Every structure is written in C-alpha cells, then in structure tokens.
Amino acid sequence: MTRWILLVIWLVSCGFAQAPARAEGPVYADVLPGHSLTFPADYGAHPDFRTEWWYVTGWLHTPDGPRGFQITFFRSRPDVDQNNPSAFSPKQIILAHVALSDPKLGKLIDDQRIARQGFGLANAATGDTAVVLDDWSLVRGADDVYTARAGTEAFGLNLHLRPTQALLIQGDRGYSSKGASAGEASYYYSAPHLSVAGTLRQGGRTVEVSGDAWLDHEWSSSFLAARSAGWDWTGLNLDDGGSLTAFQVRDAAGQPVWAGGSFRDASGATVVLRRDDVQFSTKRSWLSPRTGIHYPVVQTLTIKLPSGSRQFILTPLFDDQELDSRATGGPVYWEGAVKTDGGKGYLELVGYATAVKI
C-alpha cells in the first residue's frame, strides 16, 4: 500500500494525475510583414513562436588542412497542454547538432542532443543569445563575440566568433517570405564573415584553429506551404568581403515553390533577392551508400542583380556530408562545406528522401 501511495504522490507531482481540466494547446505567434527587428532583444529566444534556430557554419584552418563545421541549436514549442503545471511538461524543447567535415576521413562526424527546457540542463534565454544544452552552448558576450562549445567523443569545438561586419537583415526588415501566403514566412537575420579563433580537439590532441563562419538566426510558426517538401539553402562568405544568401523551397516533384535570399557586396550595398532572382540547377549528384538518397551536391546557383546575372558553382569539400538527425526527431539531409570561385560557405539540401514539414 505504501508503494502505491508513493506512486500516486509522484504522479501528481509530475502532472500525470491532475484533476480533470480542459487541455489547451499553445497559441503560436504570427510572423507579420512590416515588423522591424530590434536588438539586442532579437538576439534572444522567441518562445511564443513554434520553431527557432541559431545556425553556425564555417570553415576552419587547422595544421592538418581545412575542416567544415556546424553547430546548431533549435528551440521548439510543441503542441502540448498549456494548463499542465508540471515542470516535466515539455512546453519548450531544446535540440542541438554538431558536425565536423573532415576531408581526410571522407565523411561527416556528428552528434545530437535533445532535452525539455529546465532543470538546469537546457535553456534558450530571452533578451540575448544564450542557448545551453548540458555542456553545449552558444552565448553572445558583452563584447559582441559569440562563444560556441560542442563536441563528441570523436571531436570537440571551443570557438570564439567575432563579428567583422554589420548584421545582414534578411528580406523586408527581417520578414523573409518562404511562400505566396503571408503566413509562410520567418523572421530572419544573418551574421556573415564571423572571424573564428579557438580550439579543435580531434584524434587525441587539441590544436588551435582560425577561420571564417556564418550565423543564421530564424524563427517562425508557419514556415512552409503545405505542398512544400524541402529546400536548398546556401550562405557564402565571399573573398572580397561580400556575402550571398540564397534558398529555394521545392515541392515533392522537385520543382521550385518559392525562392529568395540576399546579396551584399563589398561596399555594403544590399540587394534583396526575390522569387524569380534565384535559380539552382544540378551539375552532379551523389548517391548515399547508407540511405540510397541522391543529393545534388554540385550546383550552379544563378542570381539576378541590377547589374546583371551572376553564377556561382557550388562544389563540396567532399561528397559524403550527409547528416542523419532522426535520433532527435529530424530528417536525413545533406549539409556540408562548399566552395565557389571567389568564396566558400555551406550548402543545405533537405527533403530529398521524404517531405519535411516545419
């Protein structure tokens, strides 16, 4: 009997044996045109929105040659009962991915984590960037420098990311369209040309590294149109100091549903790229030996600017940069370091196996 009483007490404390109450799901905030981003508040989390991520990618210079890296923190507000008072109710979920692209290994090495917010384990702070999941973190300091820490048994990253340019506010003052309807959009800004310094632990030793990185921060409640199946995205740091963001949203047949991005030249002049200004075309595909998925890993990106069209051939550091995030509820996709004539960055290819819904 004592054991049953203790079990009931535990269930009540966890919120599983509450008095009957009407379940209420969350009311998600909308992404609205005409809204301007404000800082430092928009560096932080936006918990009223359904989905959010801080996405850092870059190239490292190491004593053993170049490496690509990715550190991403996600915040998700799931559709759970908002009346449940239990601290165990997962009203906010924090996920994180870390990956290293090492051409000497010829494949991506990565890890991923997930936890509900709270308990001193996981948190995405409001007001400024401070996202923590156990001993992984991305924090923006008072000197504007981001500190990123994440790793696995195979490798570890401890990096300082220093801005060298002003923020790149995407779309219309941060309102980035992802489809024809007003709700198919995100709030979105980037920090290109981050100067990287820190350490890489790999192969039983720790070495100092430098490099060049890119940060995207994006949040939304209704990201993609219903018929969208995936997307291609690239962020390129150009050697002359310019930067290029380009994306296309695809349907299940692989046809473009929407496209956009931005181009900022070396002088700082920025062009917002609209739907008809961006075109991705495949030059070569790669077949994953693990999943059987074909990815267009070499692409020709064409953008239309007021001065005329420009082409960028995106070539991977190596082909096998497939990432399997199913352990934390995500998709299998390709995400890797790429280079182009006059620059380098990252390419993301999502939805080539099954449709992805966000």
Side-chain angles (χ1 to χ4, degrees), residues 134-179:
D134 197 8
D135 60 346
W136 294 10
S137 61
L138 177 67
V139 177
R140 179 179 170 273
D143 54 1
D144 294 334
V145 175
Y146 293 88
T147 299
R149 294 187 176 94
T152 73
E153 291 185 1
F155 72 95
L157 295 167
N158 186 350
L159 304 176
H160 302 288
L161 315 169
R162 183 179 299 277
T164 64
Q165 299 181 355
L167 290 177
L168 177 55
I169 308 300
Q170 301 284 359
D172 178 12
R173 292 172 290 170
Y175 176 87
S176 176
S177 294
K178 301 300 192 298

Side-chain angles (χ1 to χ4, degrees), residues 175-197:
Y175 176 87
S176 176
S177 294
K178 301 300 192 298
S181 299
E184 296 161 8
S186 67
Y187 293 131
Y188 181 15
Y189 69 86
S190 304
H193 286 287
L194 293 167
S195 176
V196 180

Side-chain angles (χ1 to χ4, degrees), residues 24 63 112 125 340:
E24 290 186 6
Q112 51 200 294
T340 190

Side-chain angles (χ1 to χ4, degrees), residues 27 72 175:
V27 177
T72 307
Y175 176 87

Side-chain angles (χ1 to χ4, degrees), residues 45-238:
H46 302 80
D48 290 340
F49 291 81
R50 184 172 186 173
T51 305
E52 183 167 18
W53 56 77
W54 295 258
Y55 176 60
V56 181
T57 58
W59 282 60
L60 298 176
H61 308 297
T62 82
D64 301 318
R67 302 283 190 276
F69 78 93
Q70 173 259 122
I71 300 173
T72 307
F73 286 87
F74 302 86
R75 180 204 53 78
S76 177
R77 187 182 182 195
D79 186 7
V80 300
D81 182 7
Q82 301 300 290
N83 289 326
N84 189 334
S86 170
F88 290 89
S89 178
K91 296 185 177 69
Q92 299 284 343
I93 300 293
I94 309 298
L95 306 90
H97 294 162
V98 62
L100 187 72
S101 294
D102 184 347
K104 292 190 174 182
L105 294 176
K107 65 177 182 179
L108 200 71
I109 49 177
D110 68 281
D111 200 2
Q112 51 200 294
R113 294 180 179 181
I114 183 171
R116 72 193 73 195
Q117 184 163 288
F119 305 100
L121 174 64
N123 188 57
T126 58
D128 211 333
T129 303
V131 198
V132 177
L133 180 48
D134 197 8
D135 60 346
W136 294 10
S137 61
L138 177 67
V139 177
R140 179 179 170 273
D143 54 1
D144 294 334
V145 175
Y146 293 88
T147 299
R149 294 187 176 94
T152 73
E153 291 185 1
F155 72 95
L157 295 167
N158 186 350
L159 304 176
H160 302 288
L161 315 169
R162 183 179 299 277
T164 64
Q165 299 181 355
L167 290 177
L168 177 55
I169 308 300
Q170 301 284 359
D172 178 12
R173 292 172 290 170
Y175 176 87
S176 176
S177 294
K178 301 300 192 298
S181 299
E184 296 161 8
S186 67
Y187 293 131
Y188 181 15
Y189 69 86
S190 304
H193 286 287
L194 293 167
S195 176
V196 180
T199 60
L200 166 65
R201 171 182 52 79
Q202 187 184 11
R205 63 188 183 121
T206 299
V207 298
E208 293 188 358
V209 295
S210 60
D212 185 63
W214 179 295
L215 181 146
D216 271 355
H217 183 191
E218 196 163 3
W219 59 100
S220 178
S221 293
S222 180
F223 191 73
L224 298 177
R227 70 187 185 97
S228 301
W231 65 85
D232 304 329
W233 169 93
T234 190
L236 300 174
N237 285 324
L238 304 179

Side-chain angles (χ1 to χ4, degrees), residues 2-23:
T2 301
R3 283 180 296 173
W4 284 109
I5 293 173
L6 291 174
L7 176 60
V8 170
I9 292 172
W10 181 82
L11 289 171
V12 169
S13 70
C14 293
F16 294 116
Q18 304 292 327
R22 186 170 63 88

